[in-house]
Amino acid sequence: MNTFFNYFNKTTFTAVLLAAVMVGCEDKVVGIEGFCPLVESTNPVNLATGVEENVVITVTFQEKINPNTMTPEAFDLSPGSAKATSDKSKAMPIDGTMTFDNESNTMSFTPDAPLSSGTVYTGTIINTIEDPLGNKMLENYVWSFSTEEAVIPTVVSTDPEDQELDVALNKIVTATFSQAMDALSIDETSFTLFDDVTQIDGSVSYNTNDASASFEPDVDLLPGTTYTATITTAAVDVNGTALENDYVWSFTTVDAPSPIVVSTDPEDQELDVALNKIVTATFSQLMDALTIDETSFTLFDDVTQINGSVSYNSNDTTASFEPDVDLSSGTTYTATITTAAENENGSALENDYVWTFTTLTQEQVVLGTAESYGIMATSAITNTGNTVINGDVSLDPGTSITGFPPGEINGDLNINNTESAQARQDLLDAYNYYKNLPPGTTIAAGADLGALYPNGIAPGTYTSGSTMLVSTPLVLDAGGDQNAVWVFQIGSSLTTAADITLANGASEKNVFWVPTEDATIGVATTFNGSIVSGRDVTANTGATIYGRILAGAITAGTIALDETIVNVPGFQP
């Protein structure tokens, strides 16, 4: 077993086959064939090359073997060339598990770990093995084989590619390998990113599914800057084979212009802004939604910050600030978009963008304290059936309120008290405000709005000197303007017999129906908006109102309900 052969620069193994001489075994009983035990075949075969590293080694004998002699000490697997030995006591250099199948006369050896690549191994069957008659092998059986050469891993692709330009500032840099890698070798030391001579801090991860490594910088990259990424030879595959050389590539980030605010609503210095206004700003390019929040988009009343929620719509690059409560009347507000707002490439506004606007003056306040009331009357309220009022209820003056229960009030009930008196005054102020607005689009007496506007009615003021009808379904279409307002000035009465619904951002809180006399809501119809009537309001059986019924602004007004549901906008019990 100490014989070595050198072929060129590579050491290979030569199998030494010491077959038993076909003579009777000395001092032993003659075997079935009259010979000592012989090895019939091995796997791998003698001098095999390119053997897989996870091979299971087998040895098959020509005859039955006494299994008691097939012990772990009877087989040896060692790295190195063939060498003769009869030393039965030496430990096996390669650890593994041996089994023996008496039916097939086959011994199997499974190494505990894959064999090394590009390595010669020698297997030895020790001549302590006997057949059932006690015949022993005359000599050790020795053979050799070579495992396949290791395949050196390579980087097959990167993102960004080498020399790529205009790379996003929030880019995660990746490299994909030709084969499965040892994840423990892919870390912040073997995968680095430099800006000239400065190393970029970041986290490295490895994905076993696609053999790719990722470097995620801790902060966005700088614009217009060339970066160099490197995968070093410290990166090894699952067999421990390293890259032959460091893999290096470079890329340059985008030199994008800074985003700007191109428009706002309200506009800068705008007056008479509605108290329920949602403030918006539209940008010149797509923004990073995560940078548009309550810290980068603020609203102040002098020195007091206004609480509200901020959202960003990528479809129209618009940020919106919705105050938690209506703005104060006659007040100047300052809105600011700070340089914390960034575009998709990580470029920020060059400077904070600031604009101001002023809300309606005190005498222009629309509903005031009447805003929280689902129903309000100045004479009497009657109900039949299981009406539900999701809002407050007021009666002032008067004491006649019947049908509750079974009607349900999920808000406060105020009758002839300080709150009801103030609400009544605010109702009168609101009525006068809407009546005194400049006349809008003229609606002929008794005309059906649904028939006049079959494709939806746009925001604005609509004025009728007499009655106004909704006999055909009517759609209030905001056209995407969530602050759109409708005011219907009605010279006498309003009568509906069809649904009034909303579309494209319209809100029931911005719709006001103002009849000088009465309003009647149709059976089982849906109605959107607040009724601010001069006298009485009747909601027929099963009507659902998304808004308010405020009756009796200029004369004693009554409200009659029947299985009616009233939902005040934004009401929370």
Side-chain angles (χ1 to χ4, degrees):
M1 294 176 61
N2 293 323
T3 302
F4 291 87
F5 294 91
N6 190 338
Y7 293 94
F8 301 99
N9 292 323
K10 178 182 177 182
T11 301
T12 61
F13 292 93
T14 300
V16 178
L17 178 61
L18 301 176
V21 178
M22 299 178 65
V23 296
C25 295
E26 183 178 1
D27 298 326
K28 297 294 179 182
V29 179
V30 176
I32 295 173
E33 301 293 335
F35 307 114
C36 297
L38 299 175
V39 172
E40 181 179 79
S41 64
T42 62
N43 181 42
V45 299
N46 186 41
L47 298 181
T49 59
V51 175
E52 294 183 355
E53 297 164 7
N54 59 351
V55 65
V56 176
I57 297 153
T58 62
V59 177
T60 301
F61 296 90
Q62 282 186 333
E63 62 173 302
K64 296 291 183 182
I65 299 298
N66 181 355
N68 294 327
T69 65
M70 186 59 68
T71 63
E73 290 78 13
F75 177 69
D76 173 78
L77 181 66
S78 303
S81 59
K83 53 185 179 179
T85 179
S86 60
D87 183 2
K88 295 176 289 184
S89 64
K90 79 180 188 69
M92 291 187 296
I94 303 300
D95 292 328
T97 302
M98 175 195 286
T99 60
F100 182 70
D101 183 357
N102 201 41
E103 293 295 324
S104 62
N105 306 322
T106 299
M107 181 275 294
S108 299
F109 179 80
T110 304
D112 290 344
L115 302 179
S116 299
S117 59
T119 303
V120 177
Y121 287 88
T122 296
T124 304
I125 298 292
I126 310 300
N127 66 346
T128 56
I129 293 175
E130 299 177 358
D131 65 14
L133 298 177
N135 295 319
K136 183 188 300 184
M137 293 177 63
L138 292 178
E139 303 260 10
N140 293 345
Y141 182 89
V142 183
W143 85 107
S144 62
F145 59 88
S146 301
T147 53
E148 59 186 350
E149 291 287 346
V151 177
I152 297 175
T154 60
V155 175
V156 295
S157 64
T158 63
D159 183 21
E161 297 178 352
D162 188 30
Q163 304 301 317
E164 186 172 333
L165 303 177
D166 296 333
V167 174
L169 305 185
N170 58 356
K171 188 68 174 179
I172 296 175
V173 183
T174 65
T176 301
F177 298 91
S178 59
Q179 57 209 60
M181 303 296 287
D182 179 356
L184 296 179
S185 72
I186 310 296
D187 56 21
E188 289 75 11
T189 59
S190 61
F191 191 170
T192 61
L193 186 67
F194 278 79
D195 164 11
D196 193 13
V197 294
T198 303
Q199 185 168 357
I200 306 303
D201 293 330
S203 57
V204 173
S205 60
Y206 177 72
N207 187 338
T208 56
N209 294 327
D210 59 4
S212 66
S214 299
F215 182 99
E216 183 172 4
D218 290 344
V219 297
D220 283 352
L221 303 178
L222 298 174
T225 302
T226 298
Y227 289 86
T228 300
T230 303
I231 305 286
T232 73
T233 55
V236 300
D237 67 12
V238 292
N239 296 314
T241 304
L243 274 69
E244 190 169 6
N245 301 294
D246 289 352
Y247 189 89
V248 183
W249 74 105
S250 63
F251 58 88
T252 302
T253 53
V254 64
D255 190 11
S258 298
I260 61 172
V261 175
V262 294
S263 65
T264 63
D265 182 20
E267 297 179 353
D268 188 31
Q269 305 298 319
E270 186 172 334
L271 303 177
D272 297 338
V273 174
L275 305 187
N276 59 358
K277 189 70 172 179
I278 296 175
V279 184
T280 66
T282 301
F283 298 91
S284 59
Q285 52 193 265
L286 282 173
M287 304 295 287
D288 180 354
L290 296 179
T291 68
I292 310 296
D293 56 21
E294 290 75 10
T295 59
S296 61
F297 191 170
T298 61
L299 186 66
F300 277 80
D301 164 10
D302 194 10
V303 295
T304 303
Q305 185 168 358
I306 307 304
N307 294 325
S309 58
V310 173
S311 60
Y312 175 71
N313 186 339
S314 59
N315 293 326
D316 58 7
T317 67
T318 296
S320 300
F321 182 101
E322 183 172 4
D324 290 344
V325 298
D326 281 355
L327 303 177
S328 300
S329 65
T331 303
T332 298
Y333 289 88
T334 300
T336 303
I337 305 288
T338 74
T339 55
E342 300 178 350
N343 66 11
E344 286 189 318
N345 296 316
S347 294
L349 276 70
E350 288 189 5
N351 302 291
D352 290 351
Y353 188 89
V354 183
W355 74 104
T356 64
F357 59 88
T358 303
T359 55
L360 295 165
T361 57
Q362 182 62 44
E363 49 272 14
Q364 291 175 305
V365 172
V366 179
L367 292 179
T369 62
E371 188 174 26
S372 68
Y373 289 89
I375 60 173
M376 178 192 301
T378 56
S379 177
I381 298 173
T382 60
N383 170 62
T384 303
N386 297 319
T387 286
V388 178
I389 309 299
N390 291 312
D392 298 335
V393 174
S394 173
L395 180 61
D396 191 305
T399 58
S400 178
I401 178 168
T402 60
F404 295 91
E408 179 182 345
I409 299 172
N410 291 320
D412 296 332
L413 174 61
N414 293 306
I415 301 176
N416 297 327
N417 58 18
T418 302
E419 288 78 8
S420 64
Q422 182 61 56
R424 179 185 179 186
Q425 181 59 51
D426 290 342
L427 169 60
L428 177 60
D429 292 342
Y431 177 88
N432 290 330
Y433 169 74
Y434 290 121
K435 283 296 187 181
N436 291 324
L437 288 175
T441 302
T442 300
I443 304 298
D448 175 15
L449 288 176
L452 286 176
Y453 299 95
N455 296 320
I457 188 168
T461 301
Y462 297 85
T463 306
S464 170
S466 181
T467 59
M468 192 176 285
L469 304 178
V470 180
S471 300
T472 305
L474 177 66
V475 177
L476 307 177
D477 189 345
D481 181 5
Q482 55 193 338
N483 294 307
V485 176
W486 289 261
V487 177
F488 298 92
Q489 299 171 320
I490 306 166
S492 58
S493 298
L494 166 68
T495 302
T496 74
D499 291 341
I500 300 172
T501 57
L502 308 175
N504 296 321
S507 173
E508 68 273 19
K509 69 180 181 180
N510 294 331
V511 181
F512 302 93
W513 304 85
V514 193
T516 303
E517 297 179 358
D518 307 324
T520 302
I521 309 304
V523 174
T525 59
T526 296
F527 183 92
N528 275 279
S530 295
I531 300 172
V532 183
S533 76
R535 193 169 62 183
D536 304 330
V537 177
T538 299
N540 285 313
T541 306
T544 300
I545 289 87
Y546 295 95
R548 307 169 184 85
I549 299 176
L550 309 178
I554 58 175
T555 188
T558 64
I559 295 176
L561 308 172
D562 183 9
E563 300 283 349
T564 306
I565 297 175
V566 179
N567 297 301
V568 174
F571 176 77
Q572 294 182 346

